[in-house]
Amino acid sequence: MSSFKSKYQDELIANAAYIGTPGKGILAADESTGTIGKRLASINVENVESNRRALRELLFTTPGAFECLSGVILFEETLYQKTASGKPFVELLKEGGVLPGIKVDKGTVELAGTNGETTTQGLDGLGQRCQKYYEAGARFAKWRAVLKIGPNEPSELAIHENAYGLARYAVICQETGLVPIVEPEILVDGPHDINKCAEVTERVLAACYKALNDHHVLLEGTLLKPNMVTPGSESPKVTSEVIAKYTVTALQRTVPAAVPAIVFLSGGQSEEEATLNLNAMNKFQGKKPWSLSFSFGRALQQSTLKAWSGKDENIKKAQDAFIVRCKANSHATLGTYKGDATLAEGASESLHVKDYKY
Amino acid sequence: MSAFVGKYADELVKNAKYIATPGKGILAADESTGTIGKRLASINVENIEANRQALRQLLFTSPNALQYLSGVILFEETLYQTTTDGKPFVELLQENNVIPGIKVDKGVVELAATDGETTTQGFDSLGARCQKYYKAGARFAKWRAVLKIGPNEPSQLSIQQNAQGLARYAIICQENGLVPIVEPEILTDGAHDIAKCAAVTETVLAAVYKALNDHHVLLEATLLKPNMVTPGSDSPKVTPEVIAEYTVQALRRTVPAAVPGIVFLSGGQSEEEATLNLNAMNKLEVLKPWTLSFSFGRALQQSTLKTWGGKKENVGKAQESFLGRCKANSDATLGKYVGGSGTGLASESLYVKDYKY
């Protein structure tokens, strides 16, 4: 085959397929220490380990949540944390039929001579780190590449660097038993229209899949985590149906059928927007040889965070908010979301932060 | 969109989709004058215009055969020929819901400093020629790129040149109202096994689709004409089921769902082999977002040619033979072929080493 034969081949294929189970999706709970600090700050909670642990325990022990989740992406610290009663989070997830995943990139750095375009670091010793994570129970990984739309962006350089970085990361993961989630995020920032976003998305995804092929990545053992195709943040909004059509068309033109599932990032969309858009995609009549699901961070946690506000007495309220979003998105993967999710405070709130740094 | 959407976009998408209709496929009758000469020679028939016309008339007037065809690829001469009653071939095809297509490449030339690798010519005035063909009734085109497997082949240069050439040809077609059939043929010649063929096919197809994207080609308005994934000609044969598995896997890894149909070339396979392989692919229980059909030349015409032998009194029998192959392949596109159609001629290998069109 054009792809290399990993000793983990069957496992990679099975795990990737499992993550794409209709009705399930991914909770992206891999905020780095710095990033989770911003979230905690927004609800006046101190950024200490016990609070970070408490938040994740709140999420992972929400009754019924695991039925809606096939995977959770973790930050390294969380991979080794436990519940208050001493059960490792990884065990809790596994018992609940949820695959633990791990963020393995080390953030972005600017590409000299460009207008603020970036590449992603993290390849040094990546193989050994992945082995370590596999031993700790992780079965998939995530690496975020970032591109932006501007008058001269994304440049050929940015596209090439990010595509080939993703491909190198992906094959290293497969060598060590982790399903790589390939995430080429094109930021929503800008006044461009949806056509422009579609054009850029198609170009970027085509480059990604050429790079993955060059690096002998086994597509059946990968997942894609793209942006949805939408107008820029400073452009007038469009309906979910329009977003669905442009997004699915872009994917039909670039993502081979061998990829089992596409798990969208939510970018700056509100919880409700993200769910409605995902739902519209699954209702859209057109060829979709991969399942379409979610890998949401903010769009799953926003109202939960607000409801919790760091207080023990709010845990139940917060968990109620969380299960509502989980179920809503689970429905959306089946195209059966009726928009009747009890709208908690913050569910419609835009989560867009200009020039968002993870 | 990233894709070029010109004035013909809707028509192109509609025609591409029609060609990919389940139950139908393409007759590749676009042999150049030189190539058809070899075919005629093999049945002791003189290579003159009247005989070339007679052969094509035999095929296009075969009772009940056209219902199994969505398109016929023609050579330029044939585009302007008529039946002996004076009806233009193009009209005859159109009346029977068969879309006329046209071969637009001008053959291959060697790439210097490679080991016999080639690139395809035909760009000069291609746009103007396409316009001319459109006016004459053509609605799709074909361009054959050729690659080979060897110790150092296909080289990066060959892959790049042929992929870029196909992409440039494709966009020019779309600018002028013709659906481009994208044909990156990897020759079967060699002692390599099926895994090697699969690896090369995947690498080549990935390069082709990257090039098509770079050139803003509208994929919904194209068709792919690839080789099936098989062992090399000097390697032991495998079953149709194995060929089906490797072929469909390679396509699933490289061909975007936006492409409406994949129409295989038959290479050196016998008529029966080609049909059995196509059938196995359509029976395979795996998700295939494009239809899988045929664009066969030799594998549709071989026994018909032999049965005809250039003699008027054999036309009826030859046409029956042709109908038999058309129906067999139509069944194969639906996974319903039960095998054994036609005479022993159908099992004859059509492999010619280092085949030059």
Side-chain angles (χ1 to χ4, degrees):
Chain A
M1 300 295 127
S2 175
S3 63
F4 90 101
K5 185 117 175 143
S6 160
K7 72 180 194 192
Y8 296 99
Q9 175 149 308
D10 292 342
E11 192 180 320
L12 290 169
I13 293 174
N15 286 339
Y18 176 70
I19 290 174
T21 302
K24 293 182 189 281
I26 295 174
L27 162 64
D30 61 319
E31 301 87 352
S32 62
T33 308
T35 301
I36 200 65
K38 293 186 219 166
R39 305 282 162 78
L40 296 174
S42 77
I43 50 167
N44 292 314
V45 172
E46 201 189 350
N47 187 12
V48 292
E49 207 212 320
S50 55
N51 286 337
R52 296 193 290 272
R53 192 209 62 76
L55 168 60
R56 274 62 180 265
E57 175 164 354
L58 184 161
L59 298 170
F60 303 164
T61 57
T62 297
F66 284 174
E67 279 163 37
C68 308
L69 301 176
S70 48
V72 176
I73 321 179
L74 305 167
F75 182 61
E76 183 170 341
E77 177 188 75
T78 324
L79 190 63
Y80 298 101
Q81 283 180 329
K82 309 179 162 80
T83 65
S85 46
K87 180 182 275 261
F89 281 155
V90 163
E91 238 177 77
L92 182 63
L93 293 172
K94 284 199 158 146
E95 281 168 11
V98 180
L99 288 174
I102 177 75
K103 183 229 290 293
V104 301
D105 72 76
K106 295 188 173 186
T108 58
V109 288
E110 281 197 17
L111 289 164
T114 68
N115 181 19
E117 291 183 292
T118 63
T119 186
T120 300
Q121 350 180 76
L123 291 175
D124 299 347
L126 179 59
Q128 285 100 298
R129 290 169 52 224
C130 284
Q131 265 171 29
K132 209 184 65 161
Y133 296 142
Y134 184 94
E135 273 151 35
R139 289 296 178 270
F140 71 95
K142 165 271 186 90
W143 170 289
R144 180 173 175 258
V146 186
L147 298 114
K148 68 179 199 178
I149 296 177
N152 304 306
E153 291 83 17
S155 62
E156 263 312 296
L157 174 67
I159 294 176
H160 186 94
E161 279 302 295
N162 283 288
Y164 281 85
L166 280 165
R168 187 77 193 107
Y169 137 82
V171 79
I172 290 171
C173 283
Q174 292 191 334
E175 286 179 290
T176 51
L178 302 181
V179 171
I181 295 186
V182 173
E183 180 178 357
E185 172 168 9
I186 299 158
L187 297 174
V188 74
D189 302 58
H192 56 271
D193 64 15
I194 194 170
N195 276 298
K196 178 68 180 179
C197 178
E199 182 204 309
V200 171
T201 302
E202 288 172 27
R203 224 164 87 222
V204 167
L205 290 178
C208 284
Y209 283 97
K210 178 62 166 69
L212 291 172
N213 182 278
D214 286 348
H215 279 267
H216 311 294
V217 176
L218 176 70
L219 294 187
E220 293 87 339
T222 65
L223 298 159
L224 178 69
K225 178 167 172 169
N227 50 282
M228 299 184 190
V229 176
T230 69
S233 53
E234 293 153 45
S235 216
K237 287 202 180 291
V238 300
T239 64
S240 303
E241 287 68 36
V242 171
I243 286 172
K245 181 165 165 216
Y246 275 77
T247 305
V248 175
T249 299
L251 301 169
Q252 285 174 340
R253 290 173 175 181
T254 53
V255 185
V259 175
I262 297 176
V263 291
F264 294 96
L265 60 92
S266 45
Q269 298 179 33
S270 72
E271 289 174 326
E272 188 68 359
E273 263 183 314
T275 305
L276 288 172
N277 290 336
L278 179 62
N279 190 57
M281 282 185 228
N282 279 291
K283 290 181 75 168
F284 178 75
Q285 299 285 317
K287 286 189 280 189
K288 292 169 286 186
W290 356 253
S291 57
L292 298 177
S293 184
F294 56 93
S295 175
F296 292 166
R298 287 169 283 170
L300 266 172
Q301 300 178 62
Q302 184 69 1
S303 24
T304 304
L305 211 62
K306 287 208 152 147
W308 177 49
S309 285
K311 301 187 167 71
D312 276 357
E313 60 267 30
N314 291 339
I315 288 179
K316 171 140 196 339
K317 218 176 74 159
Q319 291 187 325
D320 286 347
F322 184 58
I323 192 64
V324 162
R325 289 330 304 170
C326 286
K327 287 198 169 140
N329 285 303
S330 167
H331 276 292
T333 70
L334 303 168
T336 56
Y337 180 57
K338 307 228 183 304
D340 56 8
T342 316
L343 275 188
E345 185 192 322
S348 304
E349 196 181 293
S350 167
L351 300 166
H352 178 244
V353 173
K354 195 168 157 65
D355 202 22
Y356 185 70
K357 302 258 183 290
Y358 238 60
Chain B
M1 300 292 130
S2 174
F4 157 74
V5 179
K7 68 182 194 187
Y8 294 104
D10 290 345
E11 187 184 323
L12 290 168
V13 171
K14 189 161 141 271
N15 286 337
K17 219 163 151 211
Y18 175 72
I19 292 174
T21 303
K24 293 185 190 278
I26 296 174
L27 163 64
D30 61 320
E31 301 87 354
S32 62
T33 309
T35 301
I36 200 66
K38 293 188 218 167
R39 304 282 162 78
L40 296 174
S42 78
I43 51 167
N44 292 315
V45 171
E46 203 188 347
N47 187 12
I48 51 173
E49 210 211 319
N51 286 337
R52 296 194 290 272
Q53 185 277 343
L55 169 60
R56 274 64 180 264
Q57 173 161 319
L58 185 160
L59 298 171
F60 304 162
T61 60
S62 292
N64 302 313
L66 294 187
Q67 67 183 296
Y68 300 117
L69 303 177
S70 49
V72 175
I73 321 179
L74 305 167
F75 182 61
E76 184 170 351
E77 176 188 76
T78 322
L79 190 64
Y80 297 102
Q81 283 181 329
T82 65
T83 64
T84 38
D85 297 335
K87 180 183 272 268
F89 279 155
V90 163
E91 241 179 74
L92 178 61
L93 293 173
Q94 287 167 342
E95 280 168 10
N96 285 278
N97 297 311
V98 180
I99 302 185
I102 178 74
K103 183 227 294 290
V104 301
D105 71 75
K106 295 191 172 183
V108 301
V109 287
E110 282 198 18
L111 289 164
T114 66
D115 183 11
E117 291 183 294
T118 63
T119 187
T120 300
Q121 352 179 75
F123 289 113
D124 301 348
S125 300
L126 179 58
R129 291 168 54 224
C130 287
Q131 270 172 32
K132 208 184 68 160
Y133 297 141
Y134 183 94
K135 286 201 183 90
R139 288 295 179 271
F140 72 95
K142 165 271 186 91
W143 171 288
R144 180 173 175 259
V146 186
L147 299 109
K148 69 179 202 181
I149 297 177
N152 303 304
E153 291 83 17
S155 62
Q156 267 311 305
L157 174 66
S158 159
I159 294 174
Q160 272 320 298
Q161 280 295 299
N162 283 290
Q164 289 291 322
L166 281 166
R168 186 79 191 106
Y169 137 82
I171 191 73
I172 290 172
C173 283
Q174 293 190 337
E175 285 178 290
N176 294 290
L178 304 181
V179 171
I181 294 187
V182 174
E183 180 179 356
E185 172 168 10
I186 300 159
L187 298 173
T188 41
D189 303 56
H192 55 273
D193 62 13
I194 193 168
K196 176 70 178 175
C197 178
V200 171
T201 302
E202 288 172 27
T203 302
V204 168
L205 289 178
V208 168
Y209 282 97
K210 179 60 166 71
L212 292 174
N213 182 279
D214 287 345
H215 283 261
H216 310 294
V217 177
L218 179 65
L219 293 187
E220 293 88 335
T222 64
L223 296 158
L224 178 68
K225 179 166 171 169
N227 49 282
M228 298 184 190
V229 175
T230 68
S233 53
D234 299 330
S235 217
K237 287 202 180 292
V238 299
T239 64
E241 287 67 37
V242 172
I243 286 172
E245 219 183 283
Y246 276 80
T247 305
V248 173
Q249 181 171 254
L251 300 169
R252 276 171 50 87
R253 289 174 173 180
T254 53
V255 186
V259 175
I262 297 176
V263 291
F264 294 95
L265 59 92
S266 45
Q269 296 178 35
S270 72
E271 290 176 326
E272 187 68 357
E273 263 182 313
T275 305
L276 287 172
N277 291 335
L278 179 62
N279 189 56
M281 283 182 224
N282 279 293
K283 289 182 76 166
L284 201 59
E285 295 202 358
V286 80
L287 201 152
K288 294 163 279 185
W290 357 252
T291 59
L292 298 178
S293 184
F294 56 93
S295 175
F296 293 165
R298 287 170 282 169
L300 267 172
Q301 300 179 60
Q302 184 68 2
S303 24
T304 304
L305 208 63
K306 290 211 151 143
T307 306
W308 177 47
K311 301 187 166 74
K312 273 216 173 78
E313 59 268 29
N314 292 339
V315 167
K317 252 181 55 177
Q319 290 184 324
E320 272 169 34
S321 181
F322 182 61
L323 171 63
R325 283 337 295 171
C326 286
K327 176 146 203 325
N329 285 303
S330 165
D331 284 343
T333 70
L334 303 168
K336 297 203 316 220
Y337 182 58
V338 294
S341 167
T343 65
L345 290 173
S347 305
E348 197 181 290
S349 167
L350 300 167
Y351 173 64
V352 174
K353 195 170 160 65
D354 202 23
Y355 185 69
K356 302 257 183 291
Y357 240 57

